[in-house]
Amino acid sequence: YLQRIPQEEITLTFSEIETLLEDTLPPSARARRGWWGNRSKGSPQAVAWMGADYHAEDLDLDAEIDNMFVDLYSVHYPGFAAA
């Protein structure tokens, strides 16, 4: 999905991600910020979005379950600053 979209910035709710995956996210995705870390080892989910040239940035774990979201920024996005 991320490799096909033209946007350099995208916000996806966790529900939207689950629809794209046709599966549920693990409980740790809703409870732990570290699950969304941009690390290339020990994190297959990060390897997937980083492989599409995106990094997870803004994350809202405090919203109602259906409104939790993550912002993904392309490494080509003019405002992107690698941490």
Side-chain angles (χ1 to χ4, degrees), residues 4-49:
R4 295 189 316 266
I5 62 171
Q7 294 103 312
E8 292 180 329
E9 174 184 0
I10 184 167
T11 299
L12 293 170
T13 65
F14 289 12
S15 296
E16 290 170 327
I17 293 169
E18 289 175 331
T19 298
L20 290 168
L21 295 174
E22 297 180 356
D23 200 358
T24 57
L25 289 167
S28 56
R30 296 182 186 278
R32 294 182 42 231
R33 290 190 174 281
W35 194 91
W36 296 96
N38 297 304
R39 60 190 185 282
S40 60
K41 292 191 174 152
S43 180
Q45 66 276 12
V47 169
W49 65 67

Side-chain angles (χ1 to χ4, degrees), residues 59-75:
L59 177 63
D60 185 353
L61 295 179
D62 298 321
E64 293 295 320
I65 294 294
D66 289 338
N67 294 321
M68 290 180 171
F69 71 86
V70 62
D71 284 335
L72 297 167
Y73 294 93
S74 170
V75 296

